[in-house]
Amino acid sequence: EDKVVQSPLSLVVHEGDTVTLNCSYEVTNFRSLLWYKQEKKAPTFLFMLTSSGIEKKSGRLSSILDKKELFSILNITATQTGDSAVYLCAVLTSGTYKYIFGTGTRLKVLA
Amino acid sequence: KAGVTQTPRYLIKTRGQQVTLSCSPISGHRSVSWYQQTPGQGLQFLFEYFSETQRNKGNFPGRFSGRQFSNSRSEMNVSTLELGDSALYLCASSHPLGLAGMSSYNEQFFGPGTRLTVL
């Protein structure tokens, strides 16, 4: 059965800290991996990764994929209280073209 | 460009009733997916519609059904509601996955969700 596992489940840090969120997956027919940020409502898209070893960056956020070891990490540097959210990882499979989501990592950044 | 809209935003029902949720995708998006989100299970895929046809289905009972109209709007129906159906129901739209020439359009855009409470 296809699955996506995120760790840690939750994390509390102080402003200015750097955090690393993990996403590992076991799926057949991997197509791409996506990261989303979910605050109170709809998840919003952060990154899509399809190739190993290529880092995607957006401001203080960055992400990389390792297709050999079947995982991805999301890094957030110099965290701010506005980074507090649930971060979701999803894997898109080809063939059936389904998104499989992890349960998310809840990040709380304290001032 | 208007985002994905879902109605209603909140709904309270009692066990045994049925409910219909609506989703209007971003203009030009023809694929609509539905998800159930609960604290314990996270985001779970319900089904995906493209061109008025259900292309994919998750592992949910037959009480959960959906349809898509010619304008790509989609509805989801849950019959004989159970307490465990209480959840946030999210709809997401995208360009159709797997369509030839559209391989780069993998991003799904989510609506704000419908919070369903079953009493």
Side-chain angles (χ1 to χ4, degrees):
Chain A
E1 185 184 336
D2 294 337
K3 63 179 179 179
V4 175
V5 178
Q6 292 186 247
S7 63
L9 290 180
S10 65
L11 197 52
V12 180
V13 301
H14 288 91
E15 271 192 321
D17 288 350
T18 293
V19 298
T20 298
L21 310 183
N22 303 293
C23 175
S24 63
Y25 60 92
E26 287 179 34
V27 303
T28 51
N29 301 316
F30 173 91
R31 184 179 179 89
S32 57
L33 184 144
L34 297 91
W35 284 97
Y36 289 86
K37 177 183 181 183
Q38 184 176 26
E39 295 174 86
K40 290 188 179 171
K41 298 182 286 189
T44 53
F45 173 79
L46 294 174
F47 298 111
M48 182 177 77
L49 303 148
T50 53
S51 303
S52 269
I54 297 175
E55 186 184 50
K56 293 273 182 105
K57 265 183 92 70
S58 176
R60 297 176 293 101
L61 277 67
S62 63
S63 184
I64 197 159
L65 174 68
D66 185 327
K67 288 168 76 172
K68 184 180 174 191
E69 299 297 328
L70 308 183
F71 78 91
S72 172
I73 59 171
L74 175 68
N75 275 322
I76 309 175
T77 59
T79 51
Q80 302 171 357
T81 54
D83 295 327
S84 296
V86 174
Y87 290 84
L88 297 166
C89 168
V91 170
L92 174 63
T93 63
S94 50
T96 55
Y97 293 101
K98 282 186 186 179
Y99 285 93
I100 302 155
F101 280 81
T103 51
T105 292
R106 183 173 296 278
L107 172 66
K108 188 170 178 63
V109 181
L110 303 175
Chain B
K1 202 179 203 183
V4 179
T5 58
Q6 290 187 247
T7 56
R9 295 292 312 281
Y10 302 93
L11 206 48
I12 299 176
K13 292 283 189 179
T14 55
R15 275 183 301 174
Q17 287 188 306
Q18 77 162 21
V19 67
T20 298
L21 313 181
S22 180
C23 171
S24 292
I26 288 172
S27 178
H29 284 186
R30 292 161 59 198
S31 171
V32 174
S33 298
W34 288 90
Y35 296 87
Q36 181 194 67
Q37 188 175 33
T38 57
Q41 298 292 322
L43 258 170
Q44 293 196 289
F45 173 74
L46 280 154
F47 27 64
E48 185 223 353
Y49 284 87
F50 167 61
S51 286
E52 302 175 63
T53 301
Q54 187 182 88
R55 285 207 307 178
N56 283 307
K57 191 177 189 310
N59 298 323
F60 278 81
R63 300 185 297 107
F64 291 82
S65 63
R67 59 177 175 166
Q68 187 180 34
F69 302 95
S70 58
N71 61 358
S72 295
R73 190 177 71 84
S74 177
E75 285 182 349
M76 188 193 108
N77 185 276
V78 188
S79 62
T80 321
L81 283 166
E82 300 176 0
L83 295 178
D85 297 332
S86 294
L88 179 67
Y89 289 89
L90 290 164
C91 142
S93 79
S94 67
H95 291 291
L97 306 172
L99 195 65
M102 303 287 274
S103 59
S104 60
Y105 291 88
N106 285 341
E107 182 188 343
Q108 287 189 320
F109 294 84
F110 284 85
T114 295
R115 171 78 59 189
L116 171 65
T117 301
V118 182
L119 302 175

